[in-house]
């Protein structure tokens, strides 16, 4: 043995074989608590946040609306004289000082009473609820169509980004991302409703009429997701754990679907969450193009007519749903990534 | 002049250690294409035999092709690299030219591999148990419950405390040392014929290194092992034989005591003299002066010539790996007693 070899021995001698094989546990002895416990923790915190958010959004909106115009004038119409205006103001409580109006508004809001629509004297929140099924149908279909295309497509593009066919497809996706939704919508209407007459172009007339609005929405959301997923999959496929799995005999599909995709979805979850929030907020342009009787269009009309109660109720519900979407996104993160779950020592 | 293959076989018989040859690597070349020009050869004619129960050390500077040699044994050389020449046989059967479905039956089943970096080598979003049982279920005909039991035993065997609970756990909950134990458990879980450890302790701190080395010493004393290391101390402790790599080739291969006490290749001599003698801690390979050549430099001749004090005109011809004093050396003018 050389000096070198001898020199190396003392270290080994200090750790007798067998005795040290069992590792010291001090270095890391954390265990992740179950995912549902994490979720219930998050839930509590999130609900309080939601209440604060609702008060804040509604208050801001309350004052903004009061400064944008006089609903009494709208209600009275062109011919309304001063007397009529006074009467209307009194009737809707618009004659009281602003702070008093605000106080009343808050108290009623807590009871989920947003008042009656100025336009047709129906319960404002009721009008909003009427629109929800129509809106949600669209959201759900667009969301499903989005994920069903973007996950496989992103995985396919990202798994071997160097192949010619996929380079072409990536370019196509890149271009598609730049096409505004209303262009797609108008083209679809032109082709399928006007030329071919296969699909109804306006309103909610059952499943057939869901197709084009849903495609319109998915067509500008999916390319974004595809690009994020494919970039993330491509990156994940270069990771060391993929090499480990490969060295253990994993085939390409296992590497892609079981190992790379879950990691890739981490990066896409935030985007998908934001997209769902956007859909819930009423995809205004799409709803207008297809005359879709959803929340977005209700919001647009009620803003145009200064129908304060309906605007308030609609924004309130949208805030609730957007917040729910954010919360669900949080849970999805927790489900995908154990590193985000809280640990106990 | 005998071919590299012949001399490798001859050396195997000269060295005289009993034990069947399990793995036989013959003159393999791994090439990375570079648009148009001739490819870059990450390894360039590597040959060695591995015998039942022995531990072969693979040492050499960073970039000398140690990892690429290991990866080529499993045919998992990163794309666009390819094995373009040579053969690899496991228990007498060619395994380098198998279709991918057959290769997958060898990976993790007959050859197990431990990689360098335990922090990145495990999938962060999949449970430890899931990653272990995935390999068991792929290679062994067992139920899910049986696979979990096998995974538990594998973790327990490499000294992971409360192994049962760890199965449900995730890699980030473990320290580097424990993660490396998981990696070792994963490499061993299907009882492979050959285990390759690629710098398995390099990224760990000294105390943990010693613990992981103990796992190798105690748990794997009878295993057939290729131990890639930067660390001649580790090699001295664990290996029976050692192969010194330089610029994608093995330049010297012999028993650990022969090579360390009486190095023949000028590169090995340089490596050993570059090791500080009085450092009690394991000395790392300290590069000797000059830079290792890139493939561009090696048109022909001895790749070490630009850094070799003994280079002569003959060295413009490539020295074959030949037997000198019972070990293999690729040098026209080997050092030591009977050197030219
Ligand atoms: N993916 C790759 N593409 C091209 N060349 C590579 C790749 N990986 C490694 N190499 C080259 O192959 C050679 C051998 O690398 P490697 O086997 O990793 O060396 P070692 O493990 O001995 O440090 C080096 O010159 C390195 O630059
Ligand atoms: S062959 Fe020549 S150049 Fe190469 S190591 Fe031997 S003496 Fe040095
Ligand atoms: Mg390496």
């Amino acid at each position: 043995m050389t000096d070198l070899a001898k020199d190396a021995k003392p270290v080994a001698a200090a750790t007798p074989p067998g005795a040290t094989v069992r590792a010291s546990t001090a270095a890391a002895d954390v265990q992740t608590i179950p995912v549902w416990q994490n979720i219930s923790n998050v839930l509590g915190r999130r609900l309080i946040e939601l209440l604060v958010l609702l008060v804040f959004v509604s208050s801001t909106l309350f004052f903004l609306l009061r400064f944008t115009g006089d609903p009494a004038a709208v209600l009275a119409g062109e011919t309304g004289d001063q007397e009529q205006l006074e009467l209307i103001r009194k009737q809707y409580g618009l004659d009281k000082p602003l702070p008093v109006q605000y106080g009343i508004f808050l108290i009623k809001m807590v009871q989920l009473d947003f008042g009656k629509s100025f336009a047709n004297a129906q319960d404002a929140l009721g009008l909003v609820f009427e629109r929800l099924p129509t809106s949600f149908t669209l959201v759900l279909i667009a969301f499903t169509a989005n994920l069903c295309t973007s996950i496989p497509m992103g995985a396919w593009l990202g798994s071997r980004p160097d192949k010619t066919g996929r380079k072409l497809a990536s370019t196509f996706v890149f271009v598609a991302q730049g096409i505004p939704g209303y262009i797609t919508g108008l083209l679809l209407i032109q082709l399928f409703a006007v030329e071919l007459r296969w699909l109804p172009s306006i309103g909610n007339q059952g499943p057939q009429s869901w197709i084009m609005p849903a495609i319109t929405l998915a067509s500008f959301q999916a390319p974004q997701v595809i690009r994020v997923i494919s970039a993330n999959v491509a990156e994940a496929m270069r990771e060391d754990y993929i090499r480990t799995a490969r060295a253990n005999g994993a085939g390409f599909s296992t590497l892609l679907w079981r190992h790379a995709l879950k990691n890739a979805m981490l990066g896409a979850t935030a985007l998908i969450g934001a997209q769902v929030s956007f859909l819930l907020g009423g995809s205004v342009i799409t709803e207008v193009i297809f005359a879709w009787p959803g929340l977005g269009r209700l919001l647009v009309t009620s803003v145009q007519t200064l129908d304060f109660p309906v605007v308030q109720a609609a924004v309130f519900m949208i805030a609730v749903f957007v917040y729910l979407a954010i919360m669900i996104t949080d849970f999805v993160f927790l489900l995908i990534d154990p590193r985000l779950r809280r640990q106990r020592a | 002049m005998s071919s590299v293959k012949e001399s490798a076989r001859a050396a195997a018989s000269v060295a005289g250690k009993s034990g069947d040859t399990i793995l036989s690597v013959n003159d393999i070349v791994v090439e990375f294409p570079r648009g148009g020009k001739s490819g870059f050869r990450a390894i360039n004619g590597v040959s060695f035999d591995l015998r039942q129960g022995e531990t072969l050390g693979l040492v050499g500077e960073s970039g000398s092709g140690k990892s690429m040699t290991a990866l080529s044994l499993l045919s998992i050389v990163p794309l666009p690299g390819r094995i373009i020449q040579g053969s690899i046989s496991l228990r007498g059967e060619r395994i380098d030219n198998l279709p991918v479905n057959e290769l997958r039956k060898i990976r993790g089943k007959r050859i197990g591999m431990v990689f360098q970096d335990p922090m990145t080598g495990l999938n962060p979003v999949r449970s430890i148990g899931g990653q272990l049982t995935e390999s068991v279920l792929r290679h062994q005909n067992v139920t899910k419950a049986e696979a979990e039991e096998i995974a538990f035993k594998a973790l327990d065997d490499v000294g992971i405390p409360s192994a049962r609970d760890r199965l449900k756990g995730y890699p980030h909950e473990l320290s580097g040392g424990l993660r490396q134990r998981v990696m070792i458990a994963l490499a061993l879980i299907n009882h492979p014929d050959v285990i390759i450890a690629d710098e398995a302790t390099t990224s760990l701190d000294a105390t943990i290194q010693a613990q992981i080395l103990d796992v190798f010493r105690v748990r794997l004393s009878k295993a057939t092992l290729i131990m890639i290391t930067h660390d001649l101390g580790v090699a001295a402790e664990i290996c029976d034989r050692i192969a010194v790599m330089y610029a994608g080739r093995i330049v010297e291969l012999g028993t650990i005591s022969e090579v360390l006490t009486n190095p023949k290749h000028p590169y090995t001599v340089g490596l050993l003299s570059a090791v500080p003698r009085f450092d009690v801690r394991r000395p790392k390979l300290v590069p000797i002066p000059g830079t290792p050549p890139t493939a561009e430099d090696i048109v022909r001749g001895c790749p070490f010539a630009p850094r070799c004090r003994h280079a002569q005109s003959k060295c413009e011809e490539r020295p074959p790996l030949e037997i000198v004093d019972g070990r293999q050396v690729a040098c026209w003018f080997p050092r030591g007693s009977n050197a030219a």
Side-chain angles (χ1 to χ4, degrees), chain A residues 133-135 137-138 200-210 290-294:
Chain A
T134 330
S135 271
T137 310
L138 197 52
S201 70
I202 53 164
N204 180 3
Q205 314 167 27
Q208 276 208 327
S209 60
W210 302 345
F290 291 98
W292 187 259

Side-chain angles (χ1 to χ4, degrees), chain B residues 17-22 50-54 91 193 222 224:
Chain B
K17 195 185 166 199
S18 63
D20 305 331
T21 296
I22 289 208
L50 190 67
R51 297 172 217 136
Q52 176 81 51
E54 83 165 337
R91 292 194 190 277
D193 298 335
K222 295 206 172 56
T224 310

Side-chain angles (χ1 to χ4, degrees), chain A residues 2 4 7 20-21 23 25 28-32 240-241 243-244 246-250 258-259 262-263 338 343, chain B residues 104 107-108 115 120-121 123-126 134 138-139 159 161 165-166 170 172-173 175 181 214 260 277 280 283:
Chain A
T2 56
L4 158 80
D7 285 347
T20 56
V21 170
T25 59
D29 201 14
V30 290
Q31 262 173 351
T32 306
D240 282 356
Y241 56 78
R243 188 182 59 187
T244 306
R246 228 180 137 214
N248 281 292
R258 275 236 219 132
H259 287 273
K262 207 170 168 193
N263 284 280
Q343 296 171 344
Chain B
R104 287 178 46 203
R107 297 174 187 155
F115 292 97
T120 54
N123 194 332
V125 301
R126 298 198 48 213
E134 182 188 306
R138 181 178 300 129
H139 294 300
D165 298 335
R166 290 301 179 197
Y170 290 88
H172 73 277
E173 297 163 12
S175 63
R181 284 171 199 257
D214 268 349
L260 291 187
R277 303 257 156 170
V280 200

